[in-house]
Amino acid sequence: MKSIQITRREFLQSSGALVVGVSGVLPSLDALAQNAAPKILGPNPSLLDTWIKIGKDGLVTINSGKMDCGQGLDVAYSQIAAEELDVPLSQVVVLFGDTKHSANQGGGSASSGVRQGAIPIRNAAAEARRVLVGMAAQELQTSPDQLDVVNGKVFVKNNPSKSVTYTQLISNKEFSTNLEWNKKFGNDLNVTGLAKPKNVADYKIVGKDAPRRDIKDHVIGKEHFTAHIRPDHVLHGRAIRPAQAGASVISVDKNSVAFVPNVRVFQKDNFVAVVANTEWDAVRAARALKVTWSKETKPLKGGDKEMFNYIKNATPTASNAVPMFFGKKEYNAQPTYDALKTSAKVLEADYFAPFQAHARIAPSCGVVDVKSDSVQIWTDTQKPHFQREGIAKFLSISPDKVEAKWMHGAGSYGRSDADEAPYEAALLSKEYGQPVRVQWSREEGTAWSPKGPAAVMTLKAGLDEQNNVTAWLFKAKGFNGWDIKFNAESPEHTLVGMQTGHKKWTAYNYNIPEESYRFANHVHWWETVAPYVEQASPLRTAHFRAPQEMQTRFAQECFIDEVALASKIDPVAFRLKHIQEPREKEILEAVVKKFGWDTNYKSTKVGDVYTGRGVALYNGYQSYAAVACEVEVNKKTGRIWVKRIVVGMDCGLVINPSGVKAALEGQVMQGISRALYEEVKFDENRVTSVDWNTYRIASMKDVPGKVDIVILNRPDKASGGVAEPGLVSLPAAIANAVFDATQVRIRQYPLTPQRVKSLIV
């Protein structure tokens, strides 16, 4: 298979027509064929009725091909639609990710919910209003320019008593109106109508706080999750995992589970599972089934203790400089190396980032009903449309016979285990002719889910006699960020697919910093290394929230502080000196102003407790974020506590300020968790992080003493991504604060108590 080396932007933000095949990115077709519209599965994006329906009760339903990871995206979409339609916010509801009703907008990815996913909704809502006003003009025997709309009622401007409601005009009927579709699927899908959306200056709903709608149902246990689905005659399935990474099945003793009533044992290649009439019987059978696996010879090569040496010494599988949003960029490190040789002072450091797990609070669950003429999937994947296509391939059936219905599930960001159980359920349902529900265990969800890739980041900087930067080198070398794909559009991107003979694709990606720092002789690039186990590995890697950005920004933003110190410049002043993007500079200035950053600040030590401050910033997803924090470090216990934090974001036009605030608060907690605790441990044979004791996450005691949120609203700028930018800088800001407090530079996260105690003496 030919290697594929393209940018993350080209994948995540490209048209859904992008094809990854055995011959490369695009098949060799003539220009006409390449420009042809992709095959439409499900609703046609060109139809206004695909996007909006108005019921006889006046309720406006928006059908979105996105989904909500717990950010309250439905509220933002409702605000946008209500604004364009001139209806009350309470009158709009949003349905997510049902492939029967929505076009493929790429699902959840790349902080694209509002940044890209809202654009066709805004355009469709504006067009719906135009069509409705036109219908009202006929009904009221006047011209459209003589009409206005308030709360879904269309009236004659100079005679408001002459009016008609949207409900009276269209109640449960179709718009029968075409839209202009850009012939793309995925994040870039867009449609436009004849109507022009409102001017921002006329907004009355967008830009104002609107409360979440789902919290109450979560609190009182009313919410219906994937795990709750129980079709008639459902069977319960559980898989049996190998004791060693890379092991193959030698034999299965079906008699070992004969004591479980009505149990059935399934084997296809190296995938072994049981199904039973009750979940408990499936659990009992999975625990008791005797499977003989092949004996591998230390497949994970020294375990986590030797992992960074493995990365350093491994021959790269791919090497390239790929800025996420600015296209492919070749690199030449030689001028940087030459400049380093003539620099008055050279600083260099390696930074280390481990494997991290999604570790969803509830592991993967999927329910699938395979019938002779159709397949129904209930799933909480981030990308239901792609899962539909992948399971269709897996079952060798036409995708137009498959419906994936997105359900709420455990929150997660990136290519988690969410796609895994539905695939397994589909295989078992096809075999036994009944709907099957597969629920992963906690151990499976932590040990066998895709991981965020570990890496070593090497940085070097040169300074002249006046402490000006003469050279800057950044190299990230780590496990492939595209070991499996960021969606499950094909079975080789799932564990069960690999176990049943689907060979993994060949594509490579890592990440490099994109902030607008300008340094003389600046070069940056990444390299990937081969996985420990090629197929069906518990350490297969894929997108984790802000893919590979936390790893690279941890190194870059900590090294920025190291160079600032060597230059005898305040770390904020050093950043402002070298930042080129005005919005990046302005969010940093706003955050440190709120923090009260004082160049005369002195770290303190009281008994065993050190106090210090740190800062870091990030630019990505068309947004700009910065973090400043103050931490306490207990030398005796090794505990780091974020005493105070200010996180700020410029995400362009803000749709729902309270939603942005909540998203940033969530990122603070996940950032603290990943910075201080989360680390996948493994020995030479298997992953040993299997529960909340062996894979720790932040708890209530880690909640910061004070959190301040700074949001720069820019109505003149397009809305940027909100779900990830605030998260990325947390480990670097905390590590910088720890150094300020203790004068000890910790170059590996998580900054666990054990690691802190071993370094601070």
Side-chain angles (χ1 to χ4, degrees), residues 44-86:
N44 190 329
S46 297
L47 301 179
L48 180 57
D49 294 294
T50 292
W51 300 91
I52 295 178
K53 297 187 182 302
I54 298 179
K56 58 184 177 183
D57 56 0
L59 201 65
V60 178
T61 299
I62 303 297
N63 288 313
S64 168
K66 293 290 184 182
M67 48 74 67
D68 182 35
C69 287
Q71 307 276 53
L73 184 60
D74 62 316
V75 178
Y77 282 1
S78 295
Q79 288 179 271
I80 290 167
E83 187 73 74
E84 296 297 337
L85 283 164
D86 286 313

mmCIF file of all heavy atoms in Angstrom, residues 44-86:
data_model
loop_
_atom_site.group_PDB
_atom_site.id
_atom_site.type_symbol
_atom_site.label_atom_id
_atom_site.label_comp_id
_atom_site.label_asym_id
_atom_site.label_seq_id
_atom_site.Cartn_x
_atom_site.Cartn_y
_atom_site.Cartn_z
ATOM 1 N N ASN A 44 -31.059 14.264 0.833
ATOM 2 C CA ASN A 44 -30.313 15.059 -0.132
ATOM 3 C C ASN A 44 -30.002 16.433 0.461
ATOM 4 O O ASN A 44 -30.913 17.176 0.831
ATOM 5 C CB ASN A 44 -31.140 15.221 -1.407
ATOM 6 C CG ASN A 44 -30.353 15.832 -2.537
ATOM 7 O OD1 ASN A 44 -29.444 16.627 -2.330
ATOM 8 N ND2 ASN A 44 -30.701 15.463 -3.760
ATOM 9 N N PRO A 45 -28.718 16.799 0.562
ATOM 10 C CA PRO A 45 -28.382 18.115 1.125
ATOM 11 C C PRO A 45 -28.966 19.270 0.334
ATOM 12 O O PRO A 45 -29.109 20.379 0.866
ATOM 13 C CB PRO A 45 -26.852 18.136 1.077
ATOM 14 C CG PRO A 45 -26.430 16.712 0.968
ATOM 15 C CD PRO A 45 -27.520 16.024 0.207
ATOM 16 N N SER A 46 -29.310 19.039 -0.925
ATOM 17 C CA SER A 46 -29.812 20.117 -1.782
ATOM 18 C C SER A 46 -31.258 20.498 -1.479
ATOM 19 O O SER A 46 -31.766 21.469 -2.043
ATOM 20 C CB SER A 46 -29.718 19.711 -3.258
ATOM 21 O OG SER A 46 -28.386 19.506 -3.634
ATOM 22 N N LEU A 47 -31.922 19.748 -0.618
ATOM 23 C CA LEU A 47 -33.327 20.027 -0.317
ATOM 24 C C LEU A 47 -33.454 20.764 1.011
ATOM 25 O O LEU A 47 -32.915 20.331 2.034
ATOM 26 C CB LEU A 47 -34.121 18.722 -0.258
ATOM 27 C CG LEU A 47 -34.102 17.864 -1.527
ATOM 28 C CD1 LEU A 47 -34.903 16.588 -1.314
ATOM 29 C CD2 LEU A 47 -34.641 18.657 -2.715
ATOM 30 N N LEU A 48 -34.161 21.851 0.993
ATOM 31 C CA LEU A 48 -34.390 22.613 2.225
ATOM 32 C C LEU A 48 -35.071 21.753 3.280
ATOM 33 O O LEU A 48 -34.804 21.879 4.480
ATOM 34 C CB LEU A 48 -35.233 23.858 1.907
ATOM 35 C CG LEU A 48 -35.567 24.786 3.083
ATOM 36 C CD1 LEU A 48 -34.316 25.274 3.789
ATOM 37 C CD2 LEU A 48 -36.410 25.975 2.589
ATOM 38 N N ASP A 49 -35.936 20.837 2.836
ATOM 39 C CA ASP A 49 -36.656 19.982 3.780
ATOM 40 C C ASP A 49 -35.725 19.029 4.529
ATOM 41 O O ASP A 49 -36.105 18.497 5.571
ATOM 42 C CB ASP A 49 -37.736 19.183 3.043
ATOM 43 C CG ASP A 49 -38.823 20.082 2.499
ATOM 44 O OD1 ASP A 49 -39.538 20.691 3.312
ATOM 45 O OD2 ASP A 49 -38.942 20.187 1.268
ATOM 46 N N THR A 50 -34.538 18.802 4.004
ATOM 47 C CA THR A 50 -33.557 17.985 4.725
ATOM 48 C C THR A 50 -33.134 18.674 6.015
ATOM 49 O O THR A 50 -32.868 18.018 7.022
ATOM 50 C CB THR A 50 -32.327 17.728 3.837
ATOM 51 O OG1 THR A 50 -32.711 16.887 2.752
ATOM 52 C CG2 THR A 50 -31.196 17.073 4.608
ATOM 53 N N TRP A 51 -33.104 19.981 6.005
ATOM 54 C CA TRP A 51 -32.534 20.745 7.112
ATOM 55 C C TRP A 51 -33.568 21.236 8.118
ATOM 56 O O TRP A 51 -33.270 21.316 9.323
ATOM 57 C CB TRP A 51 -31.759 21.953 6.556
ATOM 58 C CG TRP A 51 -30.648 21.545 5.660
ATOM 59 C CD1 TRP A 51 -30.693 21.377 4.303
ATOM 60 C CD2 TRP A 51 -29.331 21.175 6.052
ATOM 61 N NE1 TRP A 51 -29.486 20.951 3.822
ATOM 62 C CE2 TRP A 51 -28.619 20.816 4.876
ATOM 63 C CE3 TRP A 51 -28.666 21.128 7.277
ATOM 64 C CZ2 TRP A 51 -27.285 20.417 4.898
ATOM 65 C CZ3 TRP A 51 -27.340 20.735 7.300
ATOM 66 C CH2 TRP A 51 -26.665 20.380 6.124
ATOM 67 N N ILE A 52 -34.750 21.576 7.642
ATOM 68 C CA ILE A 52 -35.738 22.241 8.514
ATOM 69 C C ILE A 52 -37.123 21.678 8.258
ATOM 70 O O ILE A 52 -37.527 21.477 7.105
ATOM 71 C CB ILE A 52 -35.766 23.769 8.253
ATOM 72 C CG1 ILE A 52 -34.422 24.398 8.651
ATOM 73 C CG2 ILE A 52 -36.895 24.439 9.026
ATOM 74 C CD1 ILE A 52 -34.337 25.878 8.377
ATOM 75 N N LYS A 53 -37.856 21.426 9.339
ATOM 76 C CA LYS A 53 -39.265 21.057 9.261
ATOM 77 C C LYS A 53 -40.029 21.874 10.294
ATOM 78 O O LYS A 53 -39.519 22.144 11.386
ATOM 79 C CB LYS A 53 -39.451 19.564 9.522
ATOM 80 C CG LYS A 53 -38.775 18.668 8.468
ATOM 81 C CD LYS A 53 -39.111 17.209 8.655
ATOM 82 C CE LYS A 53 -38.385 16.340 7.633
ATOM 83 N NZ LYS A 53 -38.685 16.714 6.235
ATOM 84 N N ILE A 54 -41.249 22.257 9.941
ATOM 85 C CA ILE A 54 -42.111 23.001 10.869
ATOM 86 C C ILE A 54 -43.392 22.205 11.053
ATOM 87 O O ILE A 54 -44.102 21.908 10.093
ATOM 88 C CB ILE A 54 -42.421 24.422 10.339
ATOM 89 C CG1 ILE A 54 -41.111 25.220 10.200
ATOM 90 C CG2 ILE A 54 -43.388 25.141 11.278
ATOM 91 C CD1 ILE A 54 -41.297 26.618 9.653
ATOM 92 N N GLY A 55 -43.669 21.845 12.295
ATOM 93 C CA GLY A 55 -44.832 21.025 12.602
ATOM 94 C C GLY A 55 -46.084 21.848 12.814
ATOM 95 O O GLY A 55 -46.048 23.078 12.886
ATOM 96 N N LYS A 56 -47.204 21.148 12.953
ATOM 97 C CA LYS A 56 -48.474 21.857 13.136
ATOM 98 C C LYS A 56 -48.579 22.517 14.502
ATOM 99 O O LYS A 56 -49.442 23.365 14.724
ATOM 100 C CB LYS A 56 -49.650 20.916 12.908
ATOM 101 C CG LYS A 56 -49.682 19.698 13.802
ATOM 102 C CD LYS A 56 -50.837 18.796 13.395
ATOM 103 C CE LYS A 56 -50.875 17.515 14.216
ATOM 104 N NZ LYS A 56 -51.955 16.616 13.764
ATOM 105 N N ASP A 57 -47.682 22.119 15.415
ATOM 106 C CA ASP A 57 -47.630 22.787 16.712
ATOM 107 C C ASP A 57 -46.697 23.994 16.688
ATOM 108 O O ASP A 57 -46.477 24.649 17.714
ATOM 109 C CB ASP A 57 -47.169 21.812 17.797
ATOM 110 C CG ASP A 57 -45.824 21.159 17.470
ATOM 111 O OD1 ASP A 57 -45.247 21.455 16.407
ATOM 112 O OD2 ASP A 57 -45.354 20.339 18.287
ATOM 113 N N GLY A 58 -46.145 24.303 15.523
ATOM 114 C CA GLY A 58 -45.257 25.447 15.393
ATOM 115 C C GLY A 58 -43.809 25.138 15.724
ATOM 116 O O GLY A 58 -42.929 26.001 15.578
ATOM 117 N N LEU A 59 -43.540 23.927 16.149
ATOM 118 C CA LEU A 59 -42.185 23.555 16.528
ATOM 119 C C LEU A 59 -41.303 23.448 15.288
ATOM 120 O O LEU A 59 -41.662 22.799 14.302
ATOM 121 C CB LEU A 59 -42.199 22.222 17.278
ATOM 122 C CG LEU A 59 -40.987 21.915 18.163
ATOM 123 C CD1 LEU A 59 -40.909 22.896 19.322
ATOM 124 C CD2 LEU A 59 -41.072 20.488 18.687
ATOM 125 N N VAL A 60 -40.156 24.087 15.344
ATOM 126 C CA VAL A 60 -39.185 24.054 14.254
ATOM 127 C C VAL A 60 -38.131 23.000 14.587
ATOM 128 O O VAL A 60 -37.480 23.063 15.633
ATOM 129 C CB VAL A 60 -38.498 25.417 14.069
ATOM 130 C CG1 VAL A 60 -37.454 25.347 12.949
ATOM 131 C CG2 VAL A 60 -39.520 26.503 13.775
ATOM 132 N N THR A 61 -37.963 22.034 13.700
ATOM 133 C CA THR A 61 -36.982 20.973 13.909
ATOM 134 C C THR A 61 -35.824 21.156 12.940
ATOM 135 O O THR A 61 -36.023 21.243 11.728
ATOM 136 C CB THR A 61 -37.608 19.584 13.702
ATOM 137 O OG1 THR A 61 -38.669 19.404 14.646
ATOM 138 C CG2 THR A 61 -36.570 18.487 13.909
ATOM 139 N N ILE A 62 -34.614 21.209 13.498
ATOM 140 C CA ILE A 62 -33.395 21.306 12.701
ATOM 141 C C ILE A 62 -32.740 19.935 12.675
ATOM 142 O O ILE A 62 -32.488 19.332 13.729
ATOM 143 C CB ILE A 62 -32.414 22.335 13.303
ATOM 144 C CG1 ILE A 62 -33.082 23.717 13.428
ATOM 145 C CG2 ILE A 62 -31.135 22.405 12.483
ATOM 146 C CD1 ILE A 62 -33.493 24.327 12.123
ATOM 147 N N ASN A 63 -32.450 19.429 11.496
ATOM 148 C CA ASN A 63 -31.758 18.150 11.359
ATOM 149 C C ASN A 63 -30.286 18.411 11.076
ATOM 150 O O ASN A 63 -29.934 18.936 10.015
ATOM 151 C CB ASN A 63 -32.360 17.322 10.218
ATOM 152 C CG ASN A 63 -33.725 16.778 10.577
ATOM 153 O OD1 ASN A 63 -33.913 16.236 11.653
ATOM 154 N ND2 ASN A 63 -34.680 16.932 9.675
ATOM 155 N N SER A 64 -29.436 18.029 12.026
ATOM 156 C CA SER A 64 -28.006 18.268 11.892
ATOM 157 C C SER A 64 -27.257 16.954 11.734
ATOM 158 O O SER A 64 -27.547 15.972 12.419
ATOM 159 C CB SER A 64 -27.468 19.007 13.129
ATOM 160 O OG SER A 64 -26.056 19.007 13.141
ATOM 161 N N GLY A 65 -26.270 16.952 10.846
ATOM 162 C CA GLY A 65 -25.393 15.804 10.694
ATOM 163 C C GLY A 65 -24.235 15.817 11.660
ATOM 164 O O GLY A 65 -23.337 14.976 11.583
ATOM 165 N N LYS A 66 -24.236 16.767 12.580
ATOM 166 C CA LYS A 66 -23.265 16.795 13.670
ATOM 167 C C LYS A 66 -23.831 16.010 14.853
ATOM 168 O O LYS A 66 -24.879 15.374 14.771
ATOM 169 C CB LYS A 66 -22.970 18.241 14.071
ATOM 170 C CG LYS A 66 -22.245 19.038 13.012
ATOM 171 C CD LYS A 66 -20.816 18.551 12.848
ATOM 172 C CE LYS A 66 -20.027 19.379 11.865
ATOM 173 N NZ LYS A 66 -18.652 18.859 11.700
ATOM 174 N N MET A 67 -23.113 16.033 15.964
ATOM 175 C CA MET A 67 -23.590 15.471 17.208
ATOM 176 C C MET A 67 -23.010 16.314 18.336
ATOM 177 O O MET A 67 -22.186 17.186 18.119
ATOM 178 C CB MET A 67 -23.193 13.994 17.360
ATOM 179 C CG MET A 67 -21.756 13.669 17.063
ATOM 180 S SD MET A 67 -20.560 14.188 18.323
ATOM 181 C CE MET A 67 -21.022 13.132 19.670
ATOM 182 N N ASP A 68 -23.487 16.065 19.549
ATOM 183 C CA ASP A 68 -23.082 16.894 20.680
ATOM 184 C C ASP A 68 -22.276 16.063 21.665
ATOM 185 O O ASP A 68 -22.781 15.069 22.200
ATOM 186 C CB ASP A 68 -24.311 17.492 21.358
ATOM 187 C CG ASP A 68 -23.933 18.397 22.523
ATOM 188 O OD1 ASP A 68 -22.894 19.065 22.417
ATOM 189 O OD2 ASP A 68 -24.665 18.427 23.522
ATOM 190 N N CYS A 69 -21.052 16.475 21.895
ATOM 191 C CA CYS A 69 -20.186 15.770 22.856
ATOM 192 C C CYS A 69 -20.427 16.232 24.294
ATOM 193 O O CYS A 69 -19.608 15.968 25.167
ATOM 194 C CB CYS A 69 -18.729 16.012 22.501
ATOM 195 S SG CYS A 69 -18.162 15.147 21.032
ATOM 196 N N GLY A 70 -21.510 16.954 24.530
ATOM 197 C CA GLY A 70 -21.765 17.463 25.864
ATOM 198 C C GLY A 70 -21.472 18.947 25.984
ATOM 199 O O GLY A 70 -21.368 19.484 27.084
ATOM 200 N N GLN A 71 -21.367 19.637 24.835
ATOM 201 C CA GLN A 71 -21.035 21.055 24.836
ATOM 202 C C GLN A 71 -22.273 21.950 24.745
ATOM 203 O O GLN A 71 -22.152 23.166 24.802
ATOM 204 C CB GLN A 71 -20.132 21.380 23.633
ATOM 205 C CG GLN A 71 -18.898 20.503 23.525
ATOM 206 C CD GLN A 71 -17.755 20.999 24.376
ATOM 207 O OE1 GLN A 71 -17.917 21.219 25.565
ATOM 208 N NE2 GLN A 71 -16.609 21.171 23.780
ATOM 209 N N GLY A 72 -23.467 21.356 24.576
ATOM 210 C CA GLY A 72 -24.664 22.169 24.408
ATOM 211 C C GLY A 72 -24.776 22.761 23.018
ATOM 212 O O GLY A 72 -25.311 23.859 22.833
ATOM 213 N N LEU A 73 -24.298 22.021 22.031
ATOM 214 C CA LEU A 73 -24.325 22.510 20.655
ATOM 215 C C LEU A 73 -25.742 22.741 20.161
ATOM 216 O O LEU A 73 -25.990 23.629 19.339
ATOM 217 C CB LEU A 73 -23.601 21.506 19.752
ATOM 218 C CG LEU A 73 -23.424 21.861 18.276
ATOM 219 C CD1 LEU A 73 -22.620 23.146 18.120
ATOM 220 C CD2 LEU A 73 -22.744 20.717 17.529
ATOM 221 N N ASP A 74 -26.694 21.961 20.658
ATOM 222 C CA ASP A 74 -28.078 22.136 20.209
ATOM 223 C C ASP A 74 -28.605 23.528 20.543
ATOM 224 O O ASP A 74 -29.412 24.092 19.792
ATOM 225 C CB ASP A 74 -28.982 21.064 20.830
ATOM 226 C CG ASP A 74 -29.039 21.146 22.339
ATOM 227 O OD1 ASP A 74 -27.976 21.326 22.968
ATOM 228 O OD2 ASP A 74 -30.147 21.021 22.906
ATOM 229 N N VAL A 75 -28.147 24.104 21.653
ATOM 230 C CA VAL A 75 -28.606 25.445 22.034
ATOM 231 C C VAL A 75 -28.078 26.473 21.039
ATOM 232 O O VAL A 75 -28.818 27.355 20.581
ATOM 233 C CB VAL A 75 -28.168 25.788 23.468
ATOM 234 C CG1 VAL A 75 -28.607 27.207 23.828
ATOM 235 C CG2 VAL A 75 -28.743 24.793 24.458
ATOM 236 N N ALA A 76 -26.810 26.367 20.685
ATOM 237 C CA ALA A 76 -26.229 27.303 19.721
ATOM 238 C C ALA A 76 -26.937 27.205 18.370
ATOM 239 O O ALA A 76 -27.263 28.226 17.746
ATOM 240 C CB ALA A 76 -24.736 27.024 19.562
ATOM 241 N N TYR A 77 -27.189 25.980 17.910
ATOM 242 C CA TYR A 77 -27.901 25.810 16.641
ATOM 243 C C TYR A 77 -29.315 26.393 16.731
ATOM 244 O O TYR A 77 -29.808 27.011 15.777
ATOM 245 C CB TYR A 77 -27.991 24.337 16.279
ATOM 246 C CG TYR A 77 -26.727 23.737 15.706
ATOM 247 C CD1 TYR A 77 -25.567 24.492 15.541
ATOM 248 C CD2 TYR A 77 -26.689 22.405 15.314
ATOM 249 C CE1 TYR A 77 -24.415 23.935 15.014
ATOM 250 C CE2 TYR A 77 -25.543 21.830 14.774
ATOM 251 C CZ TYR A 77 -24.406 22.605 14.632
ATOM 252 O OH TYR A 77 -23.276 22.044 14.102
ATOM 253 N N SER A 78 -29.967 26.189 17.851
ATOM 254 C CA SER A 78 -31.322 26.729 18.027
ATOM 255 C C SER A 78 -31.304 28.247 17.990
ATOM 256 O O SER A 78 -32.200 28.880 17.407
ATOM 257 C CB SER A 78 -31.911 26.240 19.349
ATOM 258 O OG SER A 78 -32.092 24.839 19.346
ATOM 259 N N GLN A 79 -30.287 28.851 18.607
ATOM 260 C CA GLN A 79 -30.181 30.311 18.573
ATOM 261 C C GLN A 79 -30.007 30.813 17.140
ATOM 262 O O GLN A 79 -30.641 31.794 16.736
ATOM 263 C CB GLN A 79 -28.999 30.765 19.431
ATOM 264 C CG GLN A 79 -29.230 30.634 20.932
ATOM 265 C CD GLN A 79 -28.016 31.075 21.723
ATOM 266 O OE1 GLN A 79 -27.129 30.274 22.009
ATOM 267 N NE2 GLN A 79 -27.968 32.350 22.082
ATOM 268 N N ILE A 80 -29.156 30.138 16.397
ATOM 269 C CA ILE A 80 -28.893 30.557 15.017
ATOM 270 C C ILE A 80 -30.158 30.430 14.166
ATOM 271 O O ILE A 80 -30.512 31.344 13.406
ATOM 272 C CB ILE A 80 -27.745 29.715 14.432
ATOM 273 C CG1 ILE A 80 -26.430 30.103 15.104
ATOM 274 C CG2 ILE A 80 -27.662 29.869 12.918
ATOM 275 C CD1 ILE A 80 -25.296 29.137 14.851
ATOM 276 N N ALA A 81 -30.845 29.297 14.283
ATOM 277 C CA ALA A 81 -32.058 29.089 13.485
ATOM 278 C C ALA A 81 -33.173 30.036 13.909
ATOM 279 O O ALA A 81 -33.886 30.603 13.063
ATOM 280 C CB ALA A 81 -32.516 27.638 13.609
ATOM 281 N N ALA A 82 -33.345 30.206 15.213
ATOM 282 C CA ALA A 82 -34.389 31.109 15.705
ATOM 283 C C ALA A 82 -34.137 32.534 15.242
ATOM 284 O O ALA A 82 -35.080 33.269 14.899
ATOM 285 C CB ALA A 82 -34.454 31.044 17.233
ATOM 286 N N GLU A 83 -32.872 32.920 15.227
ATOM 287 C CA GLU A 83 -32.512 34.269 14.791
ATOM 288 C C GLU A 83 -32.903 34.493 13.330
ATOM 289 O O GLU A 83 -33.529 35.501 12.977
ATOM 290 C CB GLU A 83 -31.004 34.471 14.968
ATOM 291 C CG GLU A 83 -30.522 35.870 14.719
ATOM 292 C CD GLU A 83 -30.914 36.816 15.848
ATOM 293 O OE1 GLU A 83 -30.317 36.737 16.935
ATOM 294 O OE2 GLU A 83 -31.835 37.638 15.609
ATOM 295 N N GLU A 84 -32.546 33.560 12.478
ATOM 296 C CA GLU A 84 -32.826 33.733 11.057
ATOM 297 C C GLU A 84 -34.304 33.598 10.727
ATOM 298 O O GLU A 84 -34.808 34.263 9.816
ATOM 299 C CB GLU A 84 -32.017 32.718 10.244
ATOM 300 C CG GLU A 84 -30.510 32.896 10.325
ATOM 301 C CD GLU A 84 -30.038 34.224 9.747
ATOM 302 O OE1 GLU A 84 -30.752 34.807 8.913
ATOM 303 O OE2 GLU A 84 -28.949 34.681 10.147
ATOM 304 N N LEU A 85 -35.012 32.745 11.463
ATOM 305 C CA LEU A 85 -36.428 32.508 11.178
ATOM 306 C C LEU A 85 -37.352 33.505 11.866
ATOM 307 O O LEU A 85 -38.540 33.582 11.552
ATOM 308 C CB LEU A 85 -36.813 31.096 11.624
ATOM 309 C CG LEU A 85 -36.379 29.954 10.714
ATOM 310 C CD1 LEU A 85 -36.461 28.623 11.454
ATOM 311 C CD2 LEU A 85 -37.242 29.915 9.459
ATOM 312 N N ASP A 86 -36.808 34.229 12.849
ATOM 313 C CA ASP A 86 -37.630 35.121 13.671
ATOM 314 C C ASP A 86 -38.714 34.343 14.410
ATOM 315 O O ASP A 86 -39.914 34.643 14.312
ATOM 316 C CB ASP A 86 -38.258 36.237 12.828
ATOM 317 C CG ASP A 86 -37.249 37.299 12.426
ATOM 318 O OD1 ASP A 86 -36.478 37.748 13.296
ATOM 319 O OD2 ASP A 86 -37.205 37.657 11.236
#
